[in-house]
């Protein structure tokens, strides 16, 4: 593993506003569905520099005028024709140019580099392409003279499917770009509430002083999706939920919840602290799997009152697949702050509803003085809802009102709805923030090489342990909260998932 821990102090690519943006894969799904709408919103908020020029790159033989038509059509579709502001739209379209490039053909890059020759030399290249093209793109761009010490490269996940393959991709990038020039996207880091975690933890002494194993019983990070594979069968069946969600999004959330306060808010300080957490994760040994890991796969069920097919019955399914669409695991962080406080991570496709939540389950008081039948109520929980309806809610206990209620306890939330509490109510999409920060050269919302690789190392180890056991994949019906074995697993340790807490 390269020692990248100090390389982002290198300042050639960071901290300078980039006025040239080149989007590879510009006609692909990610670009049209996420990046173009994000650029539109940044334009609308007047956050793009006046000089910014955007080169869209793809293989199709279309003209710049046709590209503009496509982009306008896309924005109508994803933002809504009635929402589009004509002057914003026209400003954005004026910035766009198109260059036809077959990404595997070296000579096409010469045309691209020539087209960029009059542009500002600090170019941000965004690779919205499959990762197997990263190496070719970097190499050809470099050979054509398109890369300099001011260039930045933004890459999407997946960075490999295990530690070895991630190293191959990282090595290919490192041949042409310094670590300070590489911006690896994990779109969860761009979400507003994820950003808010940093403010919540480190700007509020109230929370930070109790953010440890003395006060916190366990932490739960749940990312439930109601969608299934959405036509991405070829990719997903080789990945599964461990590689698709845990190795990146859930591990990043875990790091932000568990890390020590960084000495400053700069990229190196934050990323160093995240790496320390990843390094402290205890491996899950084969003989611990039964108590630490449940893998599941959705089976036929009901979604919104209609029958819905299971994973193996989806159209184009690999009917003998044993890829997991659900995972629940108990992670332990072996350090001073967290030893004895487990982190339960849970994520699945085709579950009851889409909800991403971090729940901090606090310990009860050491001495309890209220009615014995209310003892299980007397705990605080902090619920950080990332999506939908971003909110932070602290569950506190008060007394039931009324002379006849004695000292009967009740739990109520102190609730902060983030969209409503601030007047500029629109919560930006993660890609808006990430694009803006990449253009500014701020790496703190992007993932460093060592983070990616240590996360893979841990996930690979957990997968190998699982494979060495005879644990089966547990079925769960579409539209449920996952297999019942996930409840058994957490209950073995005397804990409950948040949705079950008030039922007992
Ligand atoms: C992507 C995964 O990274 O994240 C998808 O590849 C998943 O499978 C998606 O659906 C979830 O993102 P979000 O922002 O909708 O929670």
């Amino acid at each position: 593993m390269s020692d990248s821990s100090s390389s982002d102090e290198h300042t050639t690519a960071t901290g300078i506003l980039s006025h040239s943006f080149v989007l590879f894969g510009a006609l692909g799904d990610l670009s049209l569905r996420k990046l173009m709408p994000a650029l539109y919103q940044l334009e609308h908020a007047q956050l793009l520099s006046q000089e910014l020029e955007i080169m869209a790159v793809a293989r199709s033989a279309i003209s710049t005028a046709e590209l503009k038509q496509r982009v306008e059509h896309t924005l109508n579709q994803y933002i809504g024709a009635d929402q589009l502001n004509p002057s914003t739209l026209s400003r954005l379209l004026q910035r766009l140019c198109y260059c036809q490039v077959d990404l595997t053909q070296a000579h096409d890059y010469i045309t691209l580099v020539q087209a960029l020759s009059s542009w500002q030399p600090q170019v941000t290249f965004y690779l919205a392409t499959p990762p197997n093209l990263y190496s070719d793109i970097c190499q050809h761009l470099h050979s054509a003279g398109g890369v300099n010490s001011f260039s930045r490269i933004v890459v999407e996940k997946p960075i490999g499917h295990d530690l070895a393959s991630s190293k191959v991709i990282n090595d290919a990038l490192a041949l042409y770009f310094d670590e300070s020039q590489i911006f690896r996207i994990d779109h969860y880091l761009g979400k507003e509430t994820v950003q808010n975690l940093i403010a919540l933890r480190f700007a509020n002494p109230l929370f930070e002083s109790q953010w440890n194993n003395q006060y916190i019983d366990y932490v739960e990070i749940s990312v439930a999706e109601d969608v299934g594979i959405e036509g991405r069968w070829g990719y997903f069946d080789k990945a599964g939920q461990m590689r698709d969600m845990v190795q990146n999004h859930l591990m990043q959330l875990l790091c932000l919840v568990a890390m020590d306060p960084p000495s400053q808010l700069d990229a190196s300080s934050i990323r160093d602290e995240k790496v320390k957490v990843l390094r402290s994760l205890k491996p899950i040994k084969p003989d611990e799997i039964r108590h630490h890991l449940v893998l599941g796969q959705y089976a036929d069920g009901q979604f919104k009152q209609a029958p819905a097919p299971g994973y193996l019955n989806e159209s184009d399914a690999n009917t003998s697949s044993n890829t997991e669409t659900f995972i629940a695991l108990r992670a332990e962080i072996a350090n001073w702050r967290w030893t004895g406080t487990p982190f339960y991570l849970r994520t699945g496709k085709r579950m009851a509803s889409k909800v991403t939540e971090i729940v901090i389950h606090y310990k009860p008081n050491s001495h309890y003085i209220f009615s014995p039948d209310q003892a299980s109520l007397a705990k605080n929980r902090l619920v950080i809802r990332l999506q939908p309806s971003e909110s932070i809610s602290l569950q506190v206990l008060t007394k039931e009102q009324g002379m006849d209620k004695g000292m009967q306890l009740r739990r109520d939330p102190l609730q902060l709805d983030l969209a409503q509490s601030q007047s500029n109510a629109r919560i930006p999409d993660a890609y808006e923030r990430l694009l803006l920060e990449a253009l500014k050269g701020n790496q703190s919302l992007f993932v460093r090489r060592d983070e990616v690789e240590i996360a893979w190392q841990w996930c690979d180890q957990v997968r190998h342990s699982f494979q060495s056991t005879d644990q089966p994949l547990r079925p769960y019906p579409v539209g449920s909260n996952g297999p019942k074995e996930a409840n058994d697993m957490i209950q073995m340790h005397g804990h409950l998932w948040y949705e079950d807490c008030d039922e007992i």
Side-chain angles (χ1 to χ4, degrees):
M1 193 174 305
S2 75
D3 178 18
S4 47
S5 57
S6 60
S7 61
D8 51 6
E9 266 111 51
H10 187 276
T11 53
T12 49
T14 54
I16 306 168
L17 197 59
S18 170
H19 297 305
S20 310
F21 182 65
V22 176
L23 178 56
F24 288 93
L27 301 178
D29 181 62
L30 175 69
S31 297
L32 296 177
R33 199 164 44 85
K34 288 287 184 185
L35 303 178
M36 289 300 176
L39 286 167
Y40 171 87
Q41 297 292 1
L42 290 172
E43 180 79 67
H44 193 61
Q46 303 193 330
L47 289 169
L48 297 179
S49 78
Q50 288 206 333
E51 298 90 332
L52 180 73
E53 298 183 90
I54 302 171
M55 179 71 80
V57 174
R59 200 164 48 176
S60 306
I62 60 168
S63 63
T64 292
E66 283 166 315
L67 169 81
K68 291 182 182 185
Q69 277 169 10
R70 289 253 192 125
V71 170
E72 187 171 345
H73 175 75
T74 292
L75 294 176
N76 273 308
Q77 195 178 348
Y78 292 111
I79 294 188
D82 50 339
Q83 300 291 313
L84 282 186
N85 175 300
S87 106
T88 305
L89 179 64
S90 116
R91 287 202 311 275
L92 179 63
L93 295 181
Q94 267 168 31
R95 298 178 189 272
L96 294 178
C97 298
Y98 182 76
C99 183
Q100 181 188 358
V101 175
D102 177 338
L103 297 176
T104 59
Q105 298 303 314
H107 53 84
D108 282 9
Y109 290 76
I110 297 170
T111 319
L112 172 65
V113 170
Q114 272 164 2
L116 294 174
S117 60
S118 61
W119 287 27
Q120 235 244 3
Q122 173 133 41
V123 182
T124 299
F125 297 104
Y126 194 123
L127 310 194
T129 65
N132 61 359
L133 290 168
Y134 292 173
S135 175
D136 276 358
I137 298 175
C138 294
Q139 188 197 340
H140 295 325
L141 257 182
H142 181 263
S143 309
V147 177
N148 59 40
S149 60
F150 296 104
S151 316
R152 287 178 201 141
I153 187 140
V154 184
V155 290
E156 280 284 336
K157 75 176 252 276
I159 307 285
H161 55 269
D162 58 9
L163 176 60
S165 54
S166 74
K167 284 186 172 183
V168 171
I169 295 179
N170 283 329
D171 284 345
L173 296 173
L175 277 178
Y176 308 103
F177 296 91
D178 182 83
E179 182 64 25
S180 65
Q181 300 174 276
I182 303 173
F183 291 67
R184 296 180 192 79
I185 292 231
D186 182 313
H187 77 277
Y188 269 52
L189 292 181
K191 289 184 190 272
E192 187 73 13
T193 325
V194 175
Q195 287 298 294
N196 238 324
L197 260 179
I198 302 214
L200 182 78
R201 287 197 52 199
F202 304 128
N204 293 286
L206 174 71
F207 291 120
E208 190 49 28
S209 59
Q210 315 217 335
W211 206 264
N212 56 45
N213 51 8
Q214 236 192 304
Y215 295 96
I216 296 178
D217 193 9
Y218 62 105
V219 176
E220 167 184 343
I221 302 178
S222 289
V223 182
E225 297 184 77
D226 54 6
V227 293
I229 307 312
E230 308 283 281
R232 295 187 307 153
W233 187 271
Y235 156 73
F236 187 84
D237 200 49
K238 290 197 200 81
Q241 206 68 348
M242 181 71 145
R243 294 181 170 110
D244 186 46
M245 295 294 288
V246 175
Q247 187 273 343
N248 36 77
H249 308 322
L250 276 89
M251 301 282 273
Q252 284 295 324
L253 294 179
L254 174 133
C255 285
L256 292 174
V257 174
M259 73 186 193
D260 278 351
S263 56
Q264 300 176 46
L265 272 184
D266 63 285
S268 289
S269 308
I270 293 176
R271 301 197 288 182
D272 287 349
E273 294 305 334
K274 288 199 284 173
V275 163
K276 284 190 210 159
V277 173
L278 292 169
R279 285 194 196 287
S280 308
L281 279 170
K282 275 173 68 176
I284 302 180
K285 302 196 193 104
D287 61 353
E288 295 170 325
I289 284 291
R290 212 170 64 79
H291 302 116
H292 282 70
L293 182 69
V294 173
L295 300 188
Q297 193 182 64
Y298 62 86
D300 295 351
Q302 291 273 323
F303 193 71
K304 298 193 174 142
Q305 276 110 45
Y311 186 69
L312 302 184
N313 292 330
E314 297 269 27
S315 54
D316 298 334
N318 160 9
T319 50
S320 60
S321 168
N322 55 8
T323 298
E324 80 285 356
T325 60
F326 173 95
I327 182 163
L329 64 83
R330 174 183 159 104
E332 293 173 359
I333 302 173
N335 66 14
W336 283 88
R337 193 188 274 264
W338 294 116
T339 293
T341 296
F343 281 63
Y344 295 98
L345 312 186
R346 178 175 56 157
T347 179
K349 306 251 182 259
R350 287 312 242 159
M351 293 179 68
S353 53
K354 179 172 177 74
V355 55
T356 302
E357 262 168 3
I358 299 170
V359 185
I360 312 294
H361 297 259
Y362 286 92
K363 288 185 174 172
N365 278 329
S366 54
H367 181 59
Y368 177 74
I369 57 174
F370 298 92
S371 146
D373 62 342
Q374 289 198 292
S376 69
L377 198 66
K379 292 176 194 166
N380 298 118
R381 286 186 206 109
L382 178 66
V383 183
I384 303 160
R385 162 80 66 107
L386 269 52
Q387 54 189 17
S389 324
E390 292 82 344
S391 65
I392 298 172
S393 160
L394 178 63
Q395 298 188 346
V396 294
L397 290 147
T398 54
K399 179 198 154 312
E400 282 281 1
Q401 274 181 30
M403 308 270 276
D404 57 335
K405 297 290 187 330
M407 228 350 137
Q408 206 173 318
L409 300 177
R410 54 178 283 144
R411 189 163 37 225
D412 283 308
L414 289 177
Q415 176 93 11
L416 178 64
D417 287 317
L418 293 167
Q420 281 163 22
S421 67
Q422 305 192 18
S423 48
N424 50 342
R426 197 183 78 83
I427 294 196
D429 183 74
Y431 276 97
E432 293 169 38
R433 184 187 314 277
L434 294 173
L435 272 176
L436 186 64
E437 297 305 322
L439 289 170
K440 285 185 184 164
N442 171 12
Q443 286 190 303
S444 62
L445 302 188
F446 298 85
V447 186
R448 201 167 64 191
R449 174 173 186 159
D450 48 359
E451 293 178 70
V452 176
E453 295 184 355
I454 302 167
W456 272 125
Q457 200 170 10
W458 189 78
C459 290
D460 287 356
Q461 182 278 317
V462 175
R463 264 189 322 106
H464 292 148
S465 285
F466 181 83
Q467 282 158 1
S468 72
T469 69
D470 55 4
Q471 289 295 305
L473 213 51
R474 311 288 184 177
Y476 61 98
V478 170
S480 69
N481 285 334
K484 82 166 199 16
E485 288 78 4
N487 300 353
D488 299 343
M489 188 267 285
I490 193 169
Q491 284 174 26
M492 265 177 224
H493 303 279
H495 297 142
L496 290 169
W497 298 113
Y498 174 52
E499 71 267 14
D500 298 326
C501 282
D502 286 328
E503 285 177 12
I504 291 189

